[in-house]
Amino acid sequence: MRVLARARETLITDPLSYAMRAARNILIDRGRRIVNVQIDDLEEADHPVDSGATPLEALDMSERLKLCQRALEAMPPLRREVFVRRRAGEESYETIARDLRLSIEAVQKHYSRAAQTLRRAAEGRHV
């Protein structure tokens, strides 16, 4: 949706790159919200918070994000599109299947394989 809105305002010379950047930013925003919620939960609890652990966790998350980004960029274009549309765009399998002229099962398989690849990347295993 961000790409379409932006395309109405200005000419996008490389739509795929722009869409990938938008998807990456959406995922980063979600990650930040999750981290903030977790930090808020810790602050509300009566447990001492180890201030040294948060930067390490942030560094670990940043490294995992880089690994996932590389894995996402290395995916076949169709698989990457399915994953980004499903995960970042929150589109249904049915919508994606219809738009890409694939079966719902094929879309589910692409999504599943992409998620598995990214899970391995996040764990630091070779993709």
Side-chain angles (χ1 to χ4, degrees):
M1 297 308 289
R2 288 183 186 186
V3 176
L4 293 174
R6 183 68 175 170
R8 289 184 186 117
E9 299 170 4
T10 186
L11 175 67
I12 298 175
T13 57
D14 189 354
L16 179 59
S17 293
Y18 190 86
M20 292 302 297
R21 176 62 70 170
R24 179 180 175 274
N25 290 342
I26 289 168
L27 292 174
I28 289 170
D29 290 346
R30 285 185 182 175
R32 285 182 184 143
R33 281 195 301 270
I34 291 168
V35 169
N36 288 338
V37 167
Q38 290 173 348
I39 289 172
D40 289 345
D41 289 346
L42 287 174
E43 289 172 352
E44 289 175 11
D46 289 333
H47 304 292
V49 177
D50 181 6
S51 61
T54 303
L56 290 176
E57 290 172 358
L59 178 62
D60 182 53
M61 186 175 187
S62 173
E63 290 302 314
R64 287 175 189 235
L65 180 61
K66 287 177 189 176
L67 290 170
C68 288
Q69 183 178 359
R70 283 189 216 120
L72 190 61
E73 291 169 355
M75 279 181 201
L78 181 61
R79 183 168 299 158
R80 180 177 49 235
E81 182 177 356
V82 166
F83 183 80
V84 169
R85 288 179 67 172
R86 176 77 179 139
R87 189 67 179 212
E90 298 180 349
E91 294 182 39
S92 69
Y93 290 118
E94 293 81 6
T95 300
I96 298 167
R98 185 186 65 242
D99 291 351
L100 298 178
R101 297 182 181 165
L102 297 171
S103 69
I104 293 172
E105 293 78 16
V107 171
Q108 290 171 330
K109 187 175 278 192
H110 277 294
Y111 180 79
S112 174
R113 288 183 179 168
Q116 184 180 37
T117 298
L118 292 174
R119 204 172 11 260
R120 283 194 308 253
E123 292 170 354
R125 297 186 313 196
H126 181 65
V127 180

